[in-house]
């Protein structure tokens, strides 16, 4: 199975988008975007959703990708089981990302709340 960064690069290439274009759509620099494709930077939930929109795919497709779909097509007898496993794994990944984002936002809110109390 390919890594998420490789999958993102392939989807970007398929649309003939430059890294610079996708980076601008995400509101980040081209080098920061390149680190996403290299797998050096973890995607947060919001960036995943925006990236999926830019690349014209579902967010889960960025995590699961077409190679999983090909595997399902090649093994129709296990279609439902394979699809369930992929869906479950990717749903768990999204939940974990949302939980991490939630924690980060709560921490940020605490910082701003304590800073506003000081002023």
């Amino acid at each position: 199975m390919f890594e998420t960064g490789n999958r993102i690069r392939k989807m970007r290439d398929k649309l003939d988008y430059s890294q610079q274009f996708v980076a601008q759509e995400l509101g980040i620099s081209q080098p920061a975007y390149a680190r996403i494709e290299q797998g050096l930077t973890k995607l947060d939930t919001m960036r995943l959703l925006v990236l999926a929109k830019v690349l014209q795919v579902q967010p889960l497709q960025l995590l699961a990708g077409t190679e999983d779909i090909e595997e399902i097509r090649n093994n129709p007898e296990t279609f439902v089981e394979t699809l369930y496993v992929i869906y479950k794994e990717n749903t768990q990944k999204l939940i974990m990302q949302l939980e991490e984002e939630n924690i980060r936002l709560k921490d940020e809110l605490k910082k701003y709340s304590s800073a506003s109390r000081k002023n």
Side-chain angles (χ1 to χ4, degrees), residues 52-64:
K53 186 175 180 179
V54 170
L55 297 177
Q56 304 168 23
V57 297
Q58 295 297 316
L60 288 177
Q61 200 171 349
L62 291 176
L63 301 174

Side-chain angles (χ1 to χ4, degrees), residues 48-89:
L48 175 70
L49 295 173
V50 173
L51 184 57
K53 186 175 180 179
V54 170
L55 297 177
Q56 304 168 23
V57 297
Q58 295 297 316
L60 288 177
Q61 200 171 349
L62 291 176
L63 301 174
T66 55
E67 65 275 0
D68 295 318
I69 294 167
E70 287 302 315
E71 183 178 328
I72 291 169
R73 286 187 185 139
N74 293 333
N75 300 302
E77 64 279 358
T78 61
F79 174 79
V80 174
E81 293 86 1
T82 306
L83 190 59
Y84 173 75
V85 168
I86 291 169
Y87 178 77
K88 184 177 176 183
E89 289 172 357

Side-chain angles (χ1 to χ4, degrees), residues 4-45:
T4 302
N6 288 333
R7 190 174 297 115
I8 292 169
R9 181 189 49 77
K10 285 183 178 185
M11 290 178 182
R12 177 182 58 77
D13 287 344
K14 185 176 180 182
L15 293 170
D16 200 28
Y17 289 165
S18 68
Q19 283 188 346
Q20 183 64 39
F21 171 78
V22 178
Q24 286 175 338
E25 294 295 307
L26 292 174
I28 60 176
S29 67
Q30 182 276 325
Y33 175 76
R35 287 190 294 276
I36 291 172
E37 286 191 1
Q38 294 165 359
L40 301 174
T41 300
K42 186 176 174 183
L43 280 172
D44 63 29
T45 305

Side-chain angles (χ1 to χ4, degrees), residues 104-119:
R104 186 189 67 76
L105 290 171
K106 285 179 182 179
D107 290 343
E108 198 169 310
L109 182 61
K110 285 179 188 176
K111 289 177 190 175
Y112 289 123
S113 294
S114 64
S116 68
R117 281 188 226 138
K118 291 178 182 178
N119 295 329

